[in-house]
Amino acid sequence: MAVDSAISSPLGPPACDKDAKALRFIEEMTRNADAVQERVLAEIVTRNAHTEYLKRFELGAAADRQTFKSKIPVISYEDVQPEIQRIANGDRSPILSAHPISEFLTSSGTSAGERKLMPTIKEELDRRQLLYSLLMPVMNLYVPGLDKGKGLYFLFVKSETRTPGGLLARPVLTSYYKSDHFKTRPYDPYNVYTSPNEAILCPDSFQSMYTQMLCGLIERNHVLRLGAVFASGLLRAIRFLQLHWPQLVHDIRSGTLTSQITDPAIREYMDNNVLKPDPKLAQFMTEECSKENWEGIITRIWPNTKYLDVIVTGAMAQYIPTLNYYSGGLPLACTMYASSECYFGLNLNPMCKPSKVSYTIMPNMAYFEFLLHDPISGSISSKLVDLVDVEVGKEYELVITTYAGLYRYRVGDILRVTGFHNSAPQFHFVRRKNVLLSIDSDKTDESELQNGIENASRLLAEFNTSVVEYTSYADTTTIPGHYVIYWELLSKDSANSPSHEVLNRCCLEMEESLNSVYRQCRVADHSIGPLEIRVVKNGTFEELMDYAISRGASINQYKVPRCVNFTPIVELLDSRVVSVHFSQELPHWTPERRR
């Protein structure tokens, strides 16, 4: 029941008193965005004034924007990596932050193949929790009655390691799920999960997924929303159900847990709280899952589902048609925008179409600046503008200064301004800068793809064969999705051309060349399938150029695209394929850091 409209916010009448407080906070932050930004920068600079990094640039006691901008350079990860490595190696002096670095959050891979280490401090958990606490009050404005059921969310912890100096290094969501903020969160009727903590925190991905799916099936009539972090993760869960429904049905029918689940905490929880024989549900599941057509399977099994809570912006947009197929076109809610470096903001209209998703930056999360990006030329301006000074319709690269010790750091996200909520801008996520391929949390850029091509093509040398042209695309019609690389080969000795097995080895060699995030997704998370090489007929890339020119491309400026996603081009390439090859083994991956 909504509270008295006298205290409602411009966002709409809140569902309860707790929501009213959250919505008022959003209004206060966004109305005073510039003043909040000024305060945030002053707090960061004042508390960290005596760090080695800020002293290097002789900032002194100045905490104003003008002095900060005139003295502190804009940086990328490589610029600050030496300081981060010292902290990782055990140096506890105030290098970047006056507060102790509590752990590292791992981000996408560097050119050396290792994940980036993002420093964080304990209070950042409070800041992230604050943003999480705003999500459901906003969602409740659009979807009533979420306190009358539960959410089926497929959430997982990933592998973690320690740096030489003993600090934990792990993904940001693993850090959050393992924190007391998550494990001992207070009961909230608007935010109840079917998945027990024991399953979410189980490091074995099979046991975790199996248990979460089993709980979700047993509570099928209570489920009001399904979710995962990324769209790819929810589709992986559907694929898991396709593969394992007979065993799941057996457990439901018998009220016992398969011996494949060995985690003692899970077994104890399931035996004491969840499992009891349910032949009627088992029969229903058998009838639904044995049908050849799985269209609309989500609403068939979970009939009360109101929406899917998944990220479908950026690279994840490629999964929208498949999600629509399995869900019967349920709304897709993108609720927040975050990264390992910083949590940024939330979607104040979470039930909008995916193509219309915009995130409102919360000015209390960090200090934000923006580099103007030209979408035509790809050039980036050297002049930075403040949060409230961006212009609607223009694209920018995000630059952040955080409480944890990143100063004027280029995140690498390209955003387009779509409007303002009060004085806080709203952004549509356009893409990651320079990223060609992405299936899950992986990000592969052109130089990395080129390096993989070069390493793999060495296997062709003894056959007097070389790769004359190539392109790629992320194939998400399979579950899990996988990389497809098109090769046009030049063979000088047709009697000694490379065998099918050699080209299969080329696939594996390419995978070995890709970064650790990709390899972890392949080996540990099983969220990416084997890389595929499709060899095309000689002359195919000339045809590709002719097609591009016929559509208006300049013959003088034409370059072979290293990644394609335009359906007619993919169809042209596929019509010229002469052989298909896959990795037959998993690439090497270990959770241990190399240094």
Side-chain angles (χ1 to χ4, degrees):
M1 181 177 175
V3 299
D4 188 338
S5 61
I7 61 168
S8 66
S9 89
L11 286 170
C16 60
D17 287 327
K18 182 180 175 184
D19 283 10
K21 183 179 178 182
L23 298 180
R24 281 199 301 267
F25 178 79
I26 294 171
E27 289 301 302
E28 180 185 344
M29 289 294 107
T30 56
R31 269 198 305 266
N32 304 296
D34 197 49
V36 173
Q37 281 282 276
E38 194 167 21
R39 172 179 60 77
V40 165
L41 180 62
E43 286 178 358
I44 293 172
V45 171
T46 300
R47 73 154 60 169
N48 294 326
H50 298 293
T51 59
E52 179 184 315
Y53 187 85
L54 288 185
K55 284 166 68 176
R56 182 183 309 163
F57 299 105
E58 300 179 348
L59 202 60
D64 62 286
R65 283 192 242 200
Q66 186 174 355
T67 306
F68 178 78
K69 292 184 176 191
S70 67
K71 295 198 172 189
I72 306 300
V74 177
I75 61 167
S76 61
Y77 184 76
E78 288 68 28
D79 297 313
V80 76
Q81 192 171 15
E83 286 79 12
I84 288 175
Q85 198 60 53
R86 283 173 54 199
I87 299 168
N89 289 341
D91 191 332
R92 296 293 179 261
S93 57
I95 299 171
L96 296 174
S97 169
H99 288 211
I101 301 301
S102 56
E103 63 180 315
F104 286 106
L105 304 176
T106 53
S107 186
S108 55
T110 65
S111 57
E114 289 294 341
R115 285 180 179 267
K116 296 174 183 174
L117 294 176
M118 295 300 166
T120 191
I121 56 181
K122 282 187 177 179
E123 74 171 49
E124 280 300 299
L125 269 171
D126 297 328
R127 204 166 277 111
R128 293 196 288 271
Q129 179 60 40
L130 173 61
L131 194 61
Y132 282 126
S133 74
L134 304 176
L135 302 182
M136 287 309 294
V138 172
M139 184 59 73
N140 290 337
L141 298 174
Y142 296 88
V143 185
L146 291 175
D147 57 330
K148 304 299 190 291
K150 299 183 179 183
L152 169 51
Y153 281 79
F154 296 96
L155 307 176
F156 304 92
V157 295
K158 295 194 175 184
S159 65
E160 56 187 43
T161 186
R162 289 192 181 272
T163 67
L167 287 174
L168 274 172
R170 54 190 179 181
V172 62
L173 288 174
T174 298
S175 170
Y176 176 65
Y177 298 148
K178 288 192 170 187
S179 73
D180 287 338
H181 286 76
F182 180 81
K183 290 191 293 185
T184 61
R185 61 195 183 277
Y187 175 77
D188 178 357
Y190 290 93
N191 211 4
V192 180
Y193 299 149
T194 59
S195 298
N197 287 358
E198 290 80 358
I200 295 171
L201 295 172
C202 176
D204 183 291
S205 60
F206 173 85
Q207 295 188 61
S208 178
M209 175 75 87
Y210 189 96
T211 307
Q212 293 187 61
M213 181 63 77
L214 182 57
C215 290
L217 295 174
I218 289 170
E219 297 208 61
R220 60 180 286 266
N221 290 317
H222 297 119
V223 170
L224 301 183
R225 52 200 171 106
L226 263 74
V229 179
F230 295 118
S232 56
L234 186 54
L235 290 175
R236 253 191 354 268
I238 298 302
R239 179 60 177 161
F240 185 92
L241 181 59
Q242 286 181 312
L243 294 173
H244 299 286
W245 70 261
Q247 183 63 55
L248 288 159
V249 164
H250 174 273
D251 291 5
I252 291 169
R253 179 175 285 113
S254 63
T256 59
L257 191 59
T258 174
S259 60
Q260 291 177 279
I261 306 302
T262 58
D263 185 290
I266 288 179
R267 294 201 69 91
E268 181 181 358
Y269 180 87
M270 296 297 286
D271 288 341
N272 293 338
N273 300 282
V274 178
L275 287 170
K276 59 182 179 181
D278 191 342
K280 186 177 178 181
L281 175 57
Q283 181 60 32
F284 168 81
M285 287 300 303
T286 300
E287 291 171 1
E288 288 298 332
C289 294
S290 58
K291 292 176 182 175
E292 187 174 334
N293 183 3
W294 273 49
E295 185 174 1
I297 193 68
I298 289 175
T299 46
R300 281 154 47 188
I301 292 178
W302 296 282
N304 299 314
T305 307
K306 297 174 183 283
Y307 65 93
L308 305 182
D309 189 347
V310 287
I311 294 173
V312 288
T313 51
M316 290 296 119
Q318 59 197 335
Y319 295 104
I320 292 173
T322 312
L323 284 172
N324 288 337
Y325 174 83
Y326 284 123
S327 74
L330 281 173
L332 305 173
C334 295
T335 57
M336 68 181 290
Y337 172 36
S339 75
S340 303
E341 294 92 335
C342 178
Y343 279 24
F344 306 117
L346 66 163
N347 182 0
L348 296 181
N349 185 17
M351 299 299 280
C352 67
K353 292 181 179 180
S355 60
K356 301 294 184 183
V357 169
S358 290
Y359 300 103
T360 302
I361 298 291
M362 290 298 289
N364 59 307
M365 300 305 293
Y367 181 64
F368 300 103
E369 297 175 271
F370 299 87
L371 289 162
L372 185 63
H373 172 255
D374 185 339
I376 305 300
S377 67
S379 62
I380 299 283
S381 168
S382 59
K383 182 183 177 184
L384 288 94
V385 297
D386 285 321
L387 180 67
V388 299
D389 294 329
V390 296
E391 298 179 44
V392 173
K394 292 187 175 180
E395 292 186 3
Y396 296 88
E397 182 184 345
L398 179 59
V399 177
I400 59 171
T401 295
T402 70
Y403 285 90
L406 293 176
Y407 305 97
R408 308 195 89 187
Y409 177 87
R410 298 175 69 163
V411 175
D413 289 358
I414 303 297
L415 310 174
R416 183 186 306 114
V417 187
T418 58
F420 283 79
H421 181 76
N422 295 323
S423 61
Q426 299 177 303
F427 294 92
H428 177 73
F429 181 90
V430 178
R431 60 180 174 84
R432 285 284 296 174
K433 190 176 66 175
N434 301 327
V435 170
L436 284 184
L437 295 168
S438 179
I439 294 288
D440 190 53
S441 55
D442 54 301
K443 300 177 183 71
T444 298
D445 62 23
E446 184 169 341
S447 63
E448 194 172 11
L449 182 63
Q450 175 68 33
N451 182 55
I453 296 288
E454 291 173 358
N455 291 342
S457 62
R458 291 193 186 106
L459 298 177
L460 307 177
E462 64 180 284
F463 303 96
N464 288 322
T465 298
S466 59
V467 179
V468 292
E469 273 302 355
Y470 70 90
T471 190
S472 63
Y473 90 103
D475 185 353
T476 56
T477 61
T478 60
I479 301 176
H482 69 291
Y483 289 8
V484 174
I485 315 297
Y486 293 97
W487 274 9
E488 185 174 322
L489 301 177
L490 177 62
S491 184
K492 296 179 182 177
D493 182 3
S494 57
N496 186 35
S497 56
S499 66
H500 184 77
E501 290 71 24
V502 168
L503 288 164
N504 284 346
R505 289 211 312 274
C506 289
C507 296
L508 180 61
E509 187 62 32
M510 278 207 67
E511 292 195 300
E512 295 285 11
S513 304
L514 298 178
N515 65 47
S516 65
V517 182
Y518 173 91
R519 288 180 282 115
Q520 178 179 341
C521 288
R522 277 279 284 126
V523 177
D525 303 338
H526 310 295
S527 59
I528 299 179
L531 183 141
E532 176 184 3
I533 290 176
R534 298 178 187 173
V535 178
V536 297
K537 293 177 182 176
N538 289 343
T540 295
F541 280 83
E542 284 187 33
E543 291 184 57
L544 191 63
M545 180 177 71
D546 292 341
Y547 178 80
I549 291 169
S550 74
R551 290 177 53 84
S554 165
I555 191 169
N556 294 319
Q557 295 179 305
Y558 175 79
K559 294 191 299 183
V560 173
R562 292 311 178 200
C563 181
V564 295
N565 50 31
F566 185 48
T567 300
I569 291 180
V570 175
E571 289 175 347
L572 186 156
L573 290 164
D574 282 339
S575 70
R576 305 296 189 270
V577 171
V578 294
S579 63
V580 173
H581 312 273
F582 288 91
S583 281
Q584 301 299 306
E585 302 171 38
L586 291 169
H588 175 75
W589 177 79
T590 173
E592 296 302 318
R593 294 189 64 79
R594 294 177 186 166
R595 53 180 181 168

